[in-house]
């Protein structure tokens, strides 16, 4: 398969990269300071260039492009380790709404999500039900004309920042998608990756609206392709930063980048990321077009990109030396994000297992 981005897509990439480079890196609080959440100014500017509504149809207030353009933005956000709700709200929640086919719910919720005025969170995984589960302990019961949700959701992206909470729960034996009302209890969690906000959602007879059947396979494909794109963006920039640092860090009176052993390690990183990047782009295309190979390519990309980023993150910390283990340097952020992202939406081992006959 031959694949290339169009000039319009490359222009989108340049526009987003310029914006993110101007705003800098992630929002990380000092150990003694409260968590600031995310940068509202940057979030608003992403909305002004239409990033939030790229994959949302025009009739629902979006741009009417495709998911491929959205994943280009995800890659650029990953490149700068940006801390904001784009993945959970703009990508996962918006796609979950669209695939249910509930036009009333889409008309009511998507315009504000596409503008960035409201943030949505998708409560999906549970402590005993991994991402690829098809049944959940969270249940929905009918009471009159209302639905009541009971259960516990974990690893909910940007739960504390969300205005809209979408919950996957079992209703009449099927995994269904609900819009939970604000009575649900959200507890922020402290993840390994300080650049990604997460929370726990506790539901106890929480009023909710039924949206439709939860498109779990589609959500798994989108999530895997999206996190792979994010990993590729982060890994590419971190490898570039590491290569540049090996040109100025000296040992025995020479830049360490001149040593053959260091060149071999960097060459291994480059080989890994180039292979992973091809898979990431293939997965983004397949998921965007809903190709028959979408699930296969998404799993391949999630596995390869996770392994490549972990390799590059670890090598980067070592090759940066002492400065690479300080709080002020971003090296530890890459190491933590690489480790956490490998487990988000399924480990590389799980995704490789799905590819076996």
């Amino acid at each position: 398969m031959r694949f290339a981005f169009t000039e319009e897509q490359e222009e989108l990439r340049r526009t987003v990269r310029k914006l993110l480079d101007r705003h800098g890196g992630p929002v990380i609080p000092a150990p003694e300071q409260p968590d600031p959440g995310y940068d509202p100014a940057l979030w608003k500017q992403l909305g002004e260039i239409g990033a939030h509504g790229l994959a949302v149809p025009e009739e629902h207030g979006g741009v009417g492009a495709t998911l491929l353009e959205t994943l280009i933005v995800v890659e650029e956000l990953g490149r700068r380790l940006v801390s904001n709700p784009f993945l959970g709200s703009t990508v996962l929640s918006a796609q979950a709404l669209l695939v249910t086919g509930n036009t009333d719910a889409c008309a009511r919720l998507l315009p504000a999500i596409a503008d960035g005025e409201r943030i949505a969170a998708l409560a999906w995984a549970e402590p005993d039900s991994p991402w690829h589960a098809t049944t959940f302990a969270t249940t929905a019961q009918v009471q009159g004309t209302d639905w009541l949700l009971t259960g516990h959701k974990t690893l909910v992206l940007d739960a504390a920042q969300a205005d809209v909470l979408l919950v996957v729960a079992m209703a009449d034996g099927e995994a269904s998608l609900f819009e939970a009302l604000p009575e649900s209890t959200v507890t922020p969690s402290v993840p390994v990756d300080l650049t990604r906000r997460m929370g726990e959602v506790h539901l106890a007879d929480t009023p909710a609206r039924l949206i439709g059947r939860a498109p779990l396979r589609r959500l798994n494909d989108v999530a895997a392709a999206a996190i792979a794109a994010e990993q590729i963006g982060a890994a590419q920039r971190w490898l570039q930063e590491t290569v540049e640092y090996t040109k100025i860090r000296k040992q025995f009176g020479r830049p360490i980048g001149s040593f053959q052993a260091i060149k071999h390690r960097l060459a291994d990183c480059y080989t890994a990321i180039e292979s992973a990047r091809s898979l990431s782009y293939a997965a983004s295309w397949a998921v965007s077009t809903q190709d028959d190979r979408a699930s296969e390519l998404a799993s391949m990309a999630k596995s390869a990109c996770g392994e490549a980023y972990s390799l590059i993150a670890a090598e980067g910390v070592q090759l940066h030396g002492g400065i690479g283990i300080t709080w002020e340097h971003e090296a530890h952020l890459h190491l933590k994000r690489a480790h956490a992202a490998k487990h988000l939406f399924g480990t590389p081992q799980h995704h490789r297992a799905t590819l076996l006959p």
Side-chain angles (χ1 to χ4, degrees):
M1 179 177 65
R2 297 187 62 182
F3 172 81
F5 291 108
T6 66
E7 179 56 36
E8 291 80 5
Q9 291 166 342
E10 293 291 358
E11 181 60 30
L12 171 65
R13 183 187 300 279
R14 289 190 290 267
T15 300
V16 175
R17 181 172 297 189
K18 183 178 180 180
L19 172 62
L20 298 180
D21 286 346
R22 186 166 64 246
H23 277 263
V27 179
I28 301 297
E32 70 280 0
Q33 294 177 340
D35 187 351
Y38 64 97
D39 183 353
L42 176 57
W43 184 255
K44 182 179 179 180
Q45 286 185 287
L46 286 169
E48 290 172 350
I49 65 174
H52 301 307
L54 283 169
V56 176
E58 292 183 79
E59 60 265 30
H60 296 312
V63 176
T66 71
L67 186 60
L68 181 58
E69 282 77 16
T70 301
L71 295 182
I72 290 173
V73 179
V74 170
E75 182 181 338
E76 292 304 310
L77 291 169
R79 176 179 172 271
R80 295 296 303 189
L81 296 180
V82 173
S83 310
N84 70 28
F86 196 90
L87 177 60
S89 180
T90 305
V91 182
L92 296 180
S93 296
Q95 288 298 307
L97 286 168
L98 285 169
V99 182
T100 62
N102 187 326
T103 55
D104 291 337
C106 289
R108 179 165 47 84
L109 297 174
L110 280 178
I113 295 174
D115 288 340
E117 295 176 359
R118 302 183 75 187
I119 294 170
L122 180 62
W124 180 3
E126 297 178 352
D128 298 322
S129 296
W131 304 103
H132 56 279
T134 56
T135 60
F136 302 88
T138 300
T139 58
Q141 299 293 332
V142 178
Q143 189 175 77
T145 58
D146 299 323
W147 289 87
L148 299 179
L149 303 180
T150 299
H152 175 205
K153 294 293 185 177
T154 188
L155 302 176
V156 182
L157 300 182
D158 308 293
Q161 289 78 36
D163 308 299
V164 177
L165 183 63
L166 303 178
V167 181
V168 178
M170 300 302 294
D172 299 327
E174 285 191 330
S176 302
L177 188 68
F178 291 84
E179 178 193 357
L181 301 181
E183 287 82 353
S184 53
T185 301
V186 175
T187 304
S189 57
V190 182
V192 171
D193 179 6
L194 300 177
T195 66
R196 200 187 305 279
R197 276 59 180 175
M198 291 187 180
E200 308 283 319
V201 175
H202 303 273
L203 304 155
D205 289 335
T206 300
R209 292 172 177 164
L210 174 63
I211 295 176
R213 184 175 179 181
L216 295 179
R217 180 174 180 179
R218 172 67 174 171
L219 287 179
N220 273 289
D221 293 346
V222 171
I227 204 70
E230 182 186 90
Q231 289 170 319
I232 281 297
Q236 288 183 116
R237 179 172 169 272
W238 184 230
L239 180 57
Q240 292 169 357
E241 295 282 336
T242 300
V243 169
E244 291 303 314
Y245 191 74
T246 62
K247 297 177 182 178
I248 61 175
R249 180 188 172 195
K250 293 184 178 181
Q251 293 289 340
F252 309 109
R254 294 171 53 189
I256 66 169
S258 65
F259 297 130
Q260 194 70 16
I262 302 298
K263 293 179 180 179
H264 286 166
R265 291 167 67 176
L266 293 174
D268 288 342
C269 290
Y270 180 79
T271 301
I273 198 172
E274 284 300 298
S275 299
R277 182 170 62 170
S278 296
L279 281 171
S280 174
Y281 290 165
S284 294
W285 169 82
V287 171
S288 176
T289 59
Q290 300 192 44
D291 186 83
D292 292 340
R293 296 164 291 175
S295 295
E296 177 185 2
L297 289 170
S299 287
M300 292 171 68
K302 176 64 169 67
S303 177
C305 294
E307 299 286 6
Y309 188 24
S310 293
L311 170 67
I312 292 166
E315 291 285 18
V317 170
Q318 289 195 21
L319 296 178
H320 273 78
I323 195 174
I325 57 173
T326 61
W327 183 267
E328 292 76 15
H329 201 276
E330 67 176 304
H332 72 101
L333 300 179
H334 282 284
L335 190 66
K336 293 170 182 175
R337 173 167 281 201
H339 176 75
K342 279 180 68 174
H343 295 270
L344 196 62
F345 311 128
T347 64
Q349 292 81 1
H350 160 71
H351 282 283
R352 286 196 292 270
T354 65
L355 299 172
L356 296 175

